[in-house]
Amino acid sequence: MEQILVIEDDIQIQNFMLYALETAGFSVQGTAKGKEGLALALRGDISLVLLDLGLPDMDGMDVLRRLRENSDIPVIIVSARDQDKEKVTALDEGADDYLTKPFSATELMARIRVALRHYNKMIGKEKKEEDDGIYEFRGLKIDNFSHMAYKDGIEIHLTPLEYQLLLLFIKNPGKVMTYRTILKTIWGEGYGEDTQVLRSIMASTRRKIEENPAKPKYIETEIGIGYRMKES
Protein backbone atom coordinates (compact mmCIF):
# COMPACT_ATOMS: atom_id res chain seq x y z
CA MET A 1 0.00 0.00 0.00
CA GLU A 2 1.34 3.42 -0.96
CA GLN A 3 1.99 5.72 1.98
CA ILE A 4 1.32 9.45 1.77
CA LEU A 5 2.92 11.99 4.11
CA VAL A 6 1.01 15.22 4.80
CA ILE A 7 3.12 18.13 6.10
CA GLU A 8 0.53 20.78 6.98
CA ASP A 9 0.26 23.01 10.06
CA ASP A 10 -3.44 23.84 9.65
CA ILE A 11 -4.94 20.95 11.59
CA GLN A 12 -8.35 21.21 9.92
CA ILE A 13 -6.81 21.01 6.44
CA GLN A 14 -4.44 18.25 7.55
CA ASN A 15 -7.33 16.20 8.95
CA PHE A 16 -9.34 16.78 5.76
CA MET A 17 -6.48 15.47 3.61
CA LEU A 18 -5.75 12.52 5.90
CA TYR A 19 -9.41 11.49 5.89
CA ALA A 20 -9.69 11.84 2.10
CA LEU A 21 -6.51 9.81 1.60
CA GLU A 22 -7.56 7.06 4.00
CA THR A 23 -10.96 6.87 2.33
CA ALA A 24 -9.18 6.45 -1.03
CA GLY A 25 -7.21 3.51 0.35
CA PHE A 26 -3.84 5.10 1.09
CA SER A 27 -1.77 4.62 4.23
CA VAL A 28 -1.21 8.09 5.73
CA GLN A 29 0.91 10.07 8.15
CA GLY A 30 0.60 13.70 9.13
CA THR A 31 2.74 16.31 10.86
CA ALA A 32 2.58 20.07 11.38
CA LYS A 33 6.36 20.55 11.56
CA GLY A 34 8.78 20.86 8.65
CA LYS A 35 11.76 19.24 10.39
CA GLU A 36 9.73 16.24 11.52
CA GLY A 37 8.17 15.95 8.06
CA LEU A 38 11.59 15.98 6.42
CA ALA A 39 12.81 13.20 8.70
CA LEU A 40 9.70 11.12 7.97
CA ALA A 41 9.98 11.71 4.22
CA LEU A 42 13.58 10.50 4.19
CA ARG A 43 12.83 7.37 6.21
CA GLY A 44 12.40 5.35 3.02
CA ASP A 45 8.79 4.13 3.10
CA ILE A 46 6.97 7.26 1.90
CA SER A 47 5.49 7.18 -1.62
CA LEU A 48 4.47 10.84 -1.94
CA VAL A 49 4.58 14.06 0.11
CA LEU A 50 1.90 16.74 0.33
CA LEU A 51 3.77 19.83 1.51
CA ASP A 52 2.49 23.17 2.77
CA LEU A 53 4.84 26.13 2.35
CA GLY A 54 3.80 28.08 5.46
CA LEU A 55 5.15 25.88 8.26
CA PRO A 56 5.87 27.17 11.79
CA ASP A 57 9.44 25.89 12.24
CA MET A 58 10.85 25.72 8.70
CA ASP A 59 9.84 27.28 5.39
CA GLY A 60 8.24 24.70 3.14
CA MET A 61 10.53 25.68 0.26
CA ASP A 62 13.53 24.77 2.40
CA VAL A 63 11.91 21.42 3.20
CA LEU A 64 11.51 20.85 -0.54
CA ARG A 65 15.14 21.74 -1.27
CA ARG A 66 16.46 19.47 1.50
CA LEU A 67 14.22 16.66 0.34
CA ARG A 68 15.36 16.99 -3.25
CA GLU A 69 18.99 16.73 -2.17
CA ASN A 70 18.29 13.22 -0.92
CA SER A 71 15.19 11.85 -2.63
CA ASP A 72 13.19 11.97 -5.85
CA ILE A 73 9.81 10.86 -4.43
CA PRO A 74 6.89 12.97 -5.70
CA VAL A 75 6.17 16.20 -3.83
CA ILE A 76 2.95 18.13 -4.35
CA ILE A 77 2.91 21.64 -2.91
CA VAL A 78 -0.38 22.45 -1.17
CA SER A 79 -0.42 26.16 -0.40
CA ALA A 80 -2.50 29.29 -0.09
CA ARG A 81 0.26 31.19 -1.93
CA ASP A 82 -1.17 31.55 -5.42
CA GLN A 83 1.35 33.85 -7.08
CA ASP A 84 2.87 32.54 -10.32
CA LYS A 85 6.36 33.38 -8.99
CA GLU A 86 5.84 31.06 -6.02
CA LYS A 87 4.61 28.27 -8.27
CA VAL A 88 7.47 28.57 -10.74
CA THR A 89 10.01 28.66 -7.89
CA ALA A 90 8.53 25.52 -6.33
CA LEU A 91 8.55 23.69 -9.66
CA ASP A 92 12.10 24.85 -10.35
CA GLU A 93 13.14 23.45 -6.97
CA GLY A 94 11.75 20.05 -7.91
CA ALA A 95 8.07 19.98 -6.90
CA ASP A 96 5.99 17.71 -9.11
CA ASP A 97 2.81 19.77 -8.86
CA TYR A 98 1.31 22.79 -7.09
CA LEU A 99 -2.21 22.78 -5.67
CA THR A 100 -3.68 26.07 -4.46
CA LYS A 101 -6.00 26.17 -1.45
CA PRO A 102 -8.93 25.77 -1.27
CA PHE A 103 -9.33 22.56 -3.27
CA SER A 104 -11.65 19.57 -3.40
CA ALA A 105 -10.87 15.99 -2.44
CA THR A 106 -11.51 15.01 -6.07
CA GLU A 107 -8.85 17.42 -7.35
CA LEU A 108 -6.40 16.33 -4.65
CA MET A 109 -6.81 12.66 -5.62
CA ALA A 110 -6.40 13.45 -9.31
CA ARG A 111 -3.12 15.28 -8.69
CA ILE A 112 -1.83 12.45 -6.49
CA ARG A 113 -2.69 9.79 -9.08
CA VAL A 114 -0.86 11.72 -11.81
CA ALA A 115 2.25 12.28 -9.70
CA LEU A 116 2.42 8.65 -8.61
CA ARG A 117 1.83 7.41 -12.15
CA HIS A 118 4.71 9.48 -13.52
CA TYR A 119 7.03 8.51 -10.68
CA ASN A 120 6.22 4.81 -10.92
CA LYS A 121 6.75 4.94 -14.67
CA MET A 122 10.09 6.67 -14.16
CA ILE A 123 11.37 4.03 -11.74
CA GLY A 124 9.97 1.17 -13.79
CA LYS A 125 7.09 0.03 -11.58
CA GLU A 126 4.61 0.50 -14.40
CA LYS A 127 4.83 -0.53 -18.02
CA LYS A 128 5.95 2.40 -20.12
CA GLU A 129 3.36 3.70 -22.52
CA GLU A 130 6.01 5.05 -24.88
CA ASP A 131 8.69 2.98 -26.60
CA ASP A 132 12.16 2.94 -25.11
CA GLY A 133 14.62 4.72 -27.32
CA ILE A 134 16.89 7.69 -27.84
CA TYR A 135 15.43 10.91 -29.25
CA GLU A 136 17.58 13.78 -30.50
CA PHE A 137 16.60 17.19 -31.83
CA ARG A 138 18.79 20.27 -32.37
CA GLY A 139 21.21 19.58 -29.52
CA LEU A 140 18.60 18.13 -27.20
CA LYS A 141 18.75 14.41 -26.43
CA ILE A 142 16.47 12.16 -24.40
CA ASP A 143 17.64 8.68 -23.50
CA ASN A 144 14.37 6.97 -22.66
CA PHE A 145 16.17 3.80 -21.54
CA SER A 146 17.69 5.62 -18.58
CA HIS A 147 15.17 8.49 -18.38
CA MET A 148 17.90 11.11 -18.76
CA ALA A 149 17.96 14.31 -20.80
CA TYR A 150 20.88 16.25 -22.25
CA LYS A 151 21.54 19.57 -23.96
CA ASP A 152 24.70 19.79 -26.04
CA GLY A 153 26.01 16.72 -24.23
CA ILE A 154 25.42 18.10 -20.73
CA GLU A 155 22.83 16.43 -18.50
CA ILE A 156 19.66 18.43 -17.75
CA HIS A 157 18.07 17.67 -14.40
CA LEU A 158 14.32 17.46 -15.02
CA THR A 159 11.42 16.55 -12.76
CA PRO A 160 9.27 13.63 -13.98
CA LEU A 161 6.65 16.02 -15.39
CA GLU A 162 9.25 18.20 -17.11
CA TYR A 163 10.77 15.06 -18.61
CA GLN A 164 7.43 13.87 -19.98
CA LEU A 165 6.70 17.33 -21.39
CA LEU A 166 10.04 17.58 -23.19
CA LEU A 167 9.70 14.00 -24.47
CA LEU A 168 6.29 14.80 -25.93
CA PHE A 169 7.68 17.76 -27.89
CA ILE A 170 10.92 16.14 -29.01
CA LYS A 171 8.84 13.28 -30.47
CA ASN A 172 6.58 15.75 -32.32
CA PRO A 173 8.85 18.44 -33.86
CA GLY A 174 7.02 21.11 -35.84
CA LYS A 175 3.61 19.95 -34.69
CA VAL A 176 1.34 22.36 -32.84
CA MET A 177 0.25 20.71 -29.59
CA THR A 178 -2.92 22.21 -28.14
CA TYR A 179 -3.25 22.86 -24.42
CA ARG A 180 -5.91 20.17 -24.18
CA THR A 181 -3.78 17.59 -26.01
CA ILE A 182 -0.76 18.23 -23.80
CA LEU A 183 -2.76 18.10 -20.58
CA LYS A 184 -4.56 14.93 -21.58
CA THR A 185 -1.38 13.21 -22.75
CA ILE A 186 0.78 14.06 -19.73
CA TRP A 187 -1.64 14.62 -16.85
CA GLY A 188 -4.56 12.48 -18.00
CA GLU A 189 -8.31 13.02 -18.08
CA GLY A 190 -9.65 15.78 -15.86
CA TYR A 191 -6.92 18.31 -16.62
CA GLY A 192 -8.35 19.50 -19.93
CA GLU A 193 -8.83 23.11 -18.87
CA ASP A 194 -6.12 23.53 -16.23
CA THR A 195 -3.69 25.54 -18.35
CA GLN A 196 -2.19 27.24 -15.28
CA VAL A 197 -0.34 24.12 -14.17
CA LEU A 198 0.85 23.56 -17.75
CA ARG A 199 2.20 27.13 -17.99
CA SER A 200 4.08 26.65 -14.72
CA ILE A 201 5.70 23.40 -15.87
CA MET A 202 6.49 24.92 -19.28
CA ALA A 203 8.16 27.91 -17.59
CA SER A 204 10.37 25.67 -15.43
CA THR A 205 11.23 23.46 -18.44
CA ARG A 206 12.19 26.45 -20.56
CA ARG A 207 14.48 27.70 -17.81
CA LYS A 208 16.41 24.45 -18.12
CA ILE A 209 16.65 24.14 -21.91
CA GLU A 210 16.54 27.70 -23.26
CA GLU A 211 19.39 30.21 -23.23
CA ASN A 212 16.77 32.98 -23.04
CA PRO A 213 13.38 31.65 -21.84
CA ALA A 214 11.73 34.93 -22.87
CA LYS A 215 12.79 34.25 -26.47
CA PRO A 216 12.65 30.46 -26.75
CA LYS A 217 14.42 28.78 -29.64
CA TYR A 218 13.07 25.31 -28.88
CA ILE A 219 9.45 25.43 -27.72
CA GLU A 220 7.47 28.43 -28.89
CA THR A 221 4.00 29.55 -27.80
CA GLU A 222 1.13 29.44 -30.24
CA ILE A 223 -0.99 32.14 -28.57
CA GLY A 224 -4.41 30.91 -27.54
CA ILE A 225 -3.73 27.41 -28.92
CA GLY A 226 -0.74 25.71 -27.29
CA TYR A 227 2.95 25.15 -28.02
CA ARG A 228 5.16 23.88 -30.84
CA MET A 229 8.71 22.52 -31.02
CA LYS A 230 10.42 24.76 -33.59
CA GLU A 231 12.06 22.84 -36.40
CA SER A 232 14.60 25.55 -37.15
Side-chain angles (χ1 to χ4, degrees):
M1 180 184 295
E2 289 172 309
Q3 187 164 187
I4 310 297
L5 173 63
V6 178
I7 308 176
E8 167 63 67
D9 71 326
D10 186 315
I11 299 303
Q12 286 188 324
I13 296 176
Q14 184 188 133
N15 287 339
F16 159 71
M17 289 193 286
L18 292 175
Y19 175 77
L21 290 162
E22 285 184 327
T23 302
F26 292 105
S27 174
V28 298
Q29 279 190 277
T31 178
K33 300 293 183 65
K35 291 180 180 178
E36 181 182 6
L38 184 60
L40 289 170
L42 295 175
R43 195 175 56 190
D45 59 349
I46 300 297
S47 303
L48 180 143
V49 176
L50 296 171
L51 173 63
D52 183 27
L53 295 181
L55 300 171
D57 64 327
M58 186 178 182
D59 187 77
M61 206 70 77
D62 290 330
V63 175
L64 175 62
R65 294 187 185 103
R66 293 276 299 278
L67 183 56
R68 277 293 167 258
E69 290 173 359
N70 300 280
S71 174
D72 59 358
I73 61 173
V75 178
I76 299 177
I77 300 298
V78 179
S79 178
R81 304 178 190 176
D82 62 354
Q83 298 297 313
D84 285 345
K85 182 179 179 181
E86 291 277 0
K87 296 176 182 179
V88 170
T89 299
L91 294 166
D92 274 343
E93 294 292 345
D96 294 86
D97 206 344
Y98 195 111
L99 187 56
T100 303
K101 300 174 185 177
F103 52 85
S104 67
T106 300
E107 183 176 14
L108 176 65
M109 292 305 134
R111 301 292 180 100
I112 289 172
R113 285 194 298 270
V114 169
L116 287 174
R117 185 172 70 245
H118 282 289
Y119 180 67
N120 289 335
K121 185 186 296 182
M122 183 181 72
I123 64 175
K125 284 187 176 180
E126 290 185 359
K127 184 179 179 180
K128 296 175 184 177
E129 294 177 3
E130 69 279 353
D131 294 331
D132 285 332
I134 295 176
Y135 302 89
E136 297 185 69
F137 184 76
R138 296 177 54 216
L140 294 175
K141 176 182 175 181
I142 286 185
D143 182 345
N144 214 29
F145 291 104
S146 60
H147 276 260
M148 299 183 73
Y150 304 86
K151 179 184 176 184
D152 298 327
I154 300 173
E155 184 181 352
I156 310 168
H157 296 282
L158 301 174
T159 68
L161 286 176
E162 291 168 349
Y163 179 91
Q164 293 298 327
L165 183 65
L166 185 58
L167 178 62
L168 176 64
F169 280 96
I170 205 170
K171 291 172 70 175
N172 294 277
K175 182 179 178 180
V176 175
M177 308 293 290
T178 67
Y179 298 129
R180 181 179 293 276
T181 296
I182 299 168
L183 288 164
K184 182 178 179 181
T185 301
I186 296 178
W187 279 267
E189 298 292 346
Y191 277 72
E193 304 299 330
D194 194 355
T195 58
Q196 186 177 38
V197 66
L198 173 56
R199 290 192 182 98
S200 295
I201 294 291
M202 179 59 74
S204 63
T205 303
R206 278 174 167 165
R207 281 177 160 77
K208 296 178 181 181
I209 67 171
E210 301 283 0
E211 294 178 9
N212 182 0
K215 296 181 179 179
K217 72 173 186 178
Y218 287 110
I219 303 176
E220 65 180 356
T221 301
E222 296 287 342
I223 298 175
I225 300 173
Y227 301 95
R228 179 173 66 90
M229 178 71 90
K230 298 171 67 174
E231 290 189 283
S232 61

